[in-house]
Amino acid sequence: MRNPVGPLPSSIYWRRRAVLASVVALLALLAVWTVSSGGGKSSTNGKGEKGPDPVASITPGPSGTGPAISQAPGGRAESGAGAGKNGEPGGTPGTAASAGPGSGGGTGSGGTGGSTAQVPADSPLPTCAPSGLQWEVKSVKNEYETSEKPRLELVARNVSGTTCKVDLGPKQAVLTILQASTNKAVWSSADCPSGAGNAFFRVPAQGDTKQSLEWDRKFSAADQCQTPPAGSAAPDTYVVEVKSPGMPVARTSFVLKQD
């Protein structure tokens, strides 16, 4: 190996070995460079930016099928429930009223009323403005048998944002029952009322107060308190009206059936 054998001088053989070694070394360097440059190559996302391949699209999840959350029905405070604002006591539904729509006293008045949240006349609560009130009068039933007494409800609704008191006394909020066929009044809360003519009730902001009346079918007359008109209401349609200063008239009707 150290002394080449051949017809040519030994120097020529040594130069050939050096060239061959250089070629082999160059090829080895090229192989290393190719491998290293190929492994470090970065990919692109099609926009000339390095990073992961983009997602083709985003599919939203299914939408909810149930109803949206809403305030439970009856979110307003029931009138007469619990203690009132400004130190006023809360009323108890169904307690008897000494005065109010349908609570006219005297013989033959026929008014048996119910009230909630009654307050003194000098209560610090402001008096409800007519513009902040709405009236509604209802009959519990559309028709009454001969053995039944018509039951009516007067609702005073406070549509303002301030708690106030409303006067539902028998002479302030006058409830009148008229016979439809004759268009004549047969009973009125203003006829011969017992007790004071004023009766104030607390009405919460955005709330209401309700007064109940059970009519015994008897007649009333302002000038006949001691000897009221005889007889009782005949089968017919009857119209109920509620009037109060500054308020629109509220009406409803019911039928007294025949035997």
Side-chain angles (χ1 to χ4, degrees), residues 161-228:
T162 304
T163 299
C164 55
K165 63 179 184 287
V166 60
D167 186 358
L168 298 182
K171 290 188 176 181
Q172 181 70 16
V174 179
L175 189 150
T176 304
I177 301 176
L178 304 94
Q179 188 171 358
S181 61
T182 62
N183 199 33
K184 291 183 178 180
V186 296
W187 188 88
S188 173
S189 65
D191 293 343
C192 312
S194 62
N198 300 99
F200 289 91
F201 298 88
R202 176 182 178 275
V203 193
Q206 301 298 319
D208 55 50
T209 185
K210 181 172 66 176
Q211 303 298 305
S212 298
L213 160 70
E214 189 176 71
W215 181 41
D216 63 2
R217 301 185 182 225
K218 301 297 182 181
F219 304 125
S220 71
D223 57 351
Q224 295 180 248
C225 294
Q226 299 302 319
T227 56

Side-chain angles (χ1 to χ4, degrees), residues 136-151:
E136 184 181 7
V137 61
K138 300 184 292 184
S139 176
V140 174
K141 296 176 64 175
N142 293 328
E143 297 182 339
Y144 295 92
E145 303 293 340
T146 55
S147 60
E148 293 180 303
K149 296 178 181 180
R151 189 166 181 81

Side-chain angles (χ1 to χ4, degrees), residues 62-141:
S63 59
T65 56
I69 297 175
S70 62
Q71 185 177 4
R76 292 183 313 191
E78 292 291 334
S79 61
K85 294 182 180 179
N86 298 325
E88 301 298 343
T92 302
T95 55
S98 59
S103 63
T107 306
S109 68
T112 303
S115 69
T116 57
Q118 188 167 354
V119 298
D122 59 356
S123 165
L125 286 173
T127 300
C128 299
S131 60
L133 288 175
Q134 291 180 351
W135 293 98
E136 184 181 7
V137 61
K138 300 184 292 184
S139 176
V140 174
K141 296 176 64 175

Side-chain angles (χ1 to χ4, degrees), residues 1-48:
M1 292 294 291
R2 292 183 178 181
N3 297 311
V5 178
L8 298 176
S10 61
S11 59
I12 294 177
Y13 293 105
W14 280 112
R15 283 195 294 268
R16 288 179 180 177
R17 291 180 179 180
V19 171
L20 180 61
S22 298
V23 171
V24 171
L26 180 61
L27 290 176
L29 289 174
L30 287 175
V32 172
W33 177 83
T34 301
V35 172
S36 62
S37 63
K41 196 173 184 178
S42 299
S43 64
T44 63
N45 59 10
K47 295 182 181 180

Side-chain angles (χ1 to χ4, degrees), residues 243-256:
K243 297 180 180 180
S244 184
M247 297 293 298
V249 178
R251 293 185 177 89
T252 191
S253 63
F254 60 86
V255 174
L256 297 183

